[in-house]
Amino acid sequence: MWPIHHNFPALRFVAAILAAFSLAFFAALCFAQNSAMALDGTAADPDNFDAHYNLANALASQGQFSEAIIHYRAATRLRPDDANAEANLGTALAEAGNLPEAKLHLERALHINPSHELARENLAEINLRLGARNP
């Protein structure tokens, strides 16, 4: 029979690691399923704004900015008056290092919706970075 101990720090550590692994696995599985559904949506209907926009968001959240940009471009082509799509395209372009084009899309987002906070904050950051490059 195993002795009863009231304090199992190693067991708690292992349980915490298993819980974290389980959450990460579940998140990856959900991402894969959501991405597959959005990809199916873009294949089935290349003019589906929601499919392109949702896939772009999923890709961007995983740091796949080049791929996300492709779908944000499609989304903004389909709905040129969507400030969120423009702002997210600008943000993805900035993350990919294309600051001049990022600035253009963030400005478009603000033209569509002057109170768009994400666009305003990211545009300010880009302007600072561009200013630092061009003294």
Side-chain angles (χ1 to χ4, degrees), residues 37-43 45 48-56 71:
M37 287 182 352
L39 191 55
D40 287 346
T42 59
D45 182 3
N48 184 330
F49 169 85
D50 291 326
H52 282 290
Y53 185 71
N54 291 335
L55 179 56
H71 294 283

Side-chain angles (χ1 to χ4, degrees), residues 9-91:
L11 186 57
R12 285 188 206 144
F13 176 74
V14 170
I17 295 295
L18 288 174
F21 177 76
S22 297
L23 288 173
F25 178 77
F26 181 71
L29 182 62
C30 288
F31 170 76
Q33 289 173 339
N34 289 339
S35 295
M37 287 182 352
L39 191 55
D40 287 346
T42 59
D45 182 3
D47 292 331
N48 184 330
F49 169 85
D50 291 326
H52 282 290
Y53 185 71
N54 291 335
L55 179 56
N57 285 337
L59 291 165
S61 74
Q62 295 296 309
Q64 298 177 30
F65 297 108
S66 296
E67 295 85 354
I69 289 167
I70 293 166
H71 294 283
Y72 282 133
R73 286 190 196 283
T76 58
R77 176 184 54 81
L78 293 166
R79 227 181 258 174
D81 61 341
D82 191 293
N84 291 329
E86 285 288 348
N88 288 352
L89 174 56
T91 301

Side-chain angles (χ1 to χ4, degrees), residues 83-106:
N84 291 329
E86 285 288 348
N88 288 352
L89 174 56
T91 301
L93 285 162
E95 290 289 343
N98 188 342
L99 298 183
E101 189 178 357
K103 180 177 176 173
L104 174 71
H105 288 281
L106 292 167

